[in-house]
């Protein structure tokens, strides 16, 4: 569990001396945070429903509200089942997007057209977003004690990241590396996960 916030107060005694008193403020933080979290969850669920109705169940427009909802469940409510559902739905949508992009690229004869260049940018964004989602998914599996699935997701995220050039690449690769460090039993197992062809 995360460390709880504490407030140190000084008590003045009648004899002029003072002492520190550690007052745990976790309960008061929870009472303030719970309504805020519930409110934010409701906002995200409403936004997700609205976007589903407007764009359909497979739209890339659902990725952001699903991501926020998944992270809220993962880190705030600690409901890992709901977090996993959100992260897996994001991956399904993004995988479908990649397949559609590949089909359009296969049909496009003009390799340097502006629309193809935009699709290259979109491909990098989708691949990067998939890698981030996979690290979130791996973290959920890790928290549930399913280290094999966590390692698999970290490996998939790592493989996706090395195939693209993106702004956050080094930071995301470091996240995968730390995940491997936590879930792999031996250095040789870690090397194998990072470089499966070796």
């Amino acid at each position: 569990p995360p460390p709880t916030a504490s407030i140190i107060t000084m008590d003045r005694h009648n004899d002029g001396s003072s002492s520190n008193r550690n007052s745990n403020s976790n309960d008061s933080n929870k009472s303030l945070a719970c309504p805020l979290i519930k409110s934010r969850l409701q906002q995200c669920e409403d936004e997700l429903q609205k976007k589903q109705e407007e764009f359909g169940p497979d739209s890339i427009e659902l990725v952001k509200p699903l991501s926020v909802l998944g992270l809220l469940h993962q880190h705030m409510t600690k409901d890992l089942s709901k977090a996993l559902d959100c992260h897996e739905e994001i991956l399904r949508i993004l995988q479908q997007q990649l397949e559609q992009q590949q089909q359009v690229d296969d049909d496009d004869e003009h390799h340097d057209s502006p629309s193809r260049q935009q699709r290259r940018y979109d491909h990098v964004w989708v691949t990067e977003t998939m890698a981030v989602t996979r690290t979130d998914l791996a973290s959920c599996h890790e928290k549930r004690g399913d280290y094999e699935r966590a390692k698999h997701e970290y490996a998939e995220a790592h493989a996706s990241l090395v195939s693209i050039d993106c702004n956050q690449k080094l930071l995301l690769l470091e996240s995968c590396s730390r995940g491997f460090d936590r879930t792999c039993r031996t250095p040789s197992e870690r090397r194998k996960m990072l470089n499966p062809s070796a």
Side-chain angles (χ1 to χ4, degrees), residues 22-68:
N22 189 351
S23 169
N24 189 339
S25 64
N26 192 37
D27 292 336
S28 62
N29 286 344
K30 276 186 180 178
S31 65
L32 292 173
C34 285
L36 293 174
I37 292 169
K38 287 179 184 177
S39 172
R40 185 65 179 129
L41 282 170
Q42 188 61 52
Q43 287 174 340
C44 289
E45 289 168 357
D46 292 346
E47 180 183 354
L48 179 61
Q49 183 177 359
K50 181 181 171 187
K51 289 198 178 216
Q52 284 174 328
E53 291 168 0
E54 185 176 348
F55 298 106
D58 301 325
S59 173
I60 196 118
E61 296 294 326
L62 304 180
V63 169
K64 184 178 178 182
L66 277 168
S67 180
V68 173

Side-chain angles (χ1 to χ4, degrees), residues 94-104:
L94 293 174
Q95 185 61 45
Q96 187 176 34
Q97 184 73 19
L98 280 179
E99 291 168 5
Q100 290 172 355
Q101 286 176 350
Q102 185 60 48
Q103 182 63 40
V104 171

Side-chain angles (χ1 to χ4, degrees), residues 34-137:
C34 285
L36 293 174
I37 292 169
K38 287 179 184 177
S39 172
R40 185 65 179 129
L41 282 170
Q42 188 61 52
Q43 287 174 340
C44 289
E45 289 168 357
D46 292 346
E47 180 183 354
L48 179 61
Q49 183 177 359
K50 181 181 171 187
K51 289 198 178 216
Q52 284 174 328
E53 291 168 0
E54 185 176 348
F55 298 106
D58 301 325
S59 173
I60 196 118
E61 296 294 326
L62 304 180
V63 169
K64 184 178 178 182
L66 277 168
S67 180
V68 173
L69 197 56
L71 292 172
L72 281 170
H73 283 301
Q74 183 174 342
H75 298 291
M76 302 304 288
T77 70
K78 309 295 186 199
D79 189 336
L80 297 178
S81 294
K82 287 183 180 179
L84 284 169
D85 289 345
C86 291
H87 297 320
E88 288 169 352
E89 182 64 8
I90 292 168
L91 287 178
R92 184 194 68 76
I93 291 168
L94 293 174
Q95 185 61 45
Q96 187 176 34
Q97 184 73 19
L98 280 179
E99 291 168 5
Q100 290 172 355
Q101 286 176 350
Q102 185 60 48
Q103 182 63 40
V104 171
D105 282 349
D106 291 346
D107 295 343
D108 189 358
E109 298 173 5
H110 308 288
H111 296 290
D112 290 329
S113 68
S115 62
R116 186 164 181 125
Q117 291 171 358
Q118 178 63 41
R119 286 195 307 277
R120 282 187 200 133
Y121 171 81
D122 292 345
H123 175 80
V124 169
W125 180 85
V126 168
T127 304
E128 179 182 8
T129 304
M130 285 182 79
V132 169
T133 302
R134 285 191 183 283
T135 60
D136 293 335
L137 194 58

Side-chain angles (χ1 to χ4, degrees), residues 15 54 96 155 161 164 166 172:
D15 63 1
E54 185 176 348
Q96 187 176 34
L161 289 167
I164 61 169
C166 65
L172 295 170

Side-chain angles (χ1 to χ4, degrees), residues 140-177:
C140 285
H141 288 304
E142 189 178 343
K143 288 175 182 175
R144 293 177 87 179
D146 190 348
Y147 299 113
E148 292 304 314
R149 287 195 64 187
K151 283 188 288 192
H152 171 76
E153 294 301 340
Y154 284 127
E156 291 289 321
H158 184 270
S160 294
L161 289 167
V162 296
S163 73
I164 61 169
D165 187 24
C166 65
N167 293 337
Q168 298 183 56
K169 186 173 185 172
L170 292 177
L171 178 65
L172 295 170
L173 285 170
E174 179 63 25
S175 177
C176 291
S177 178

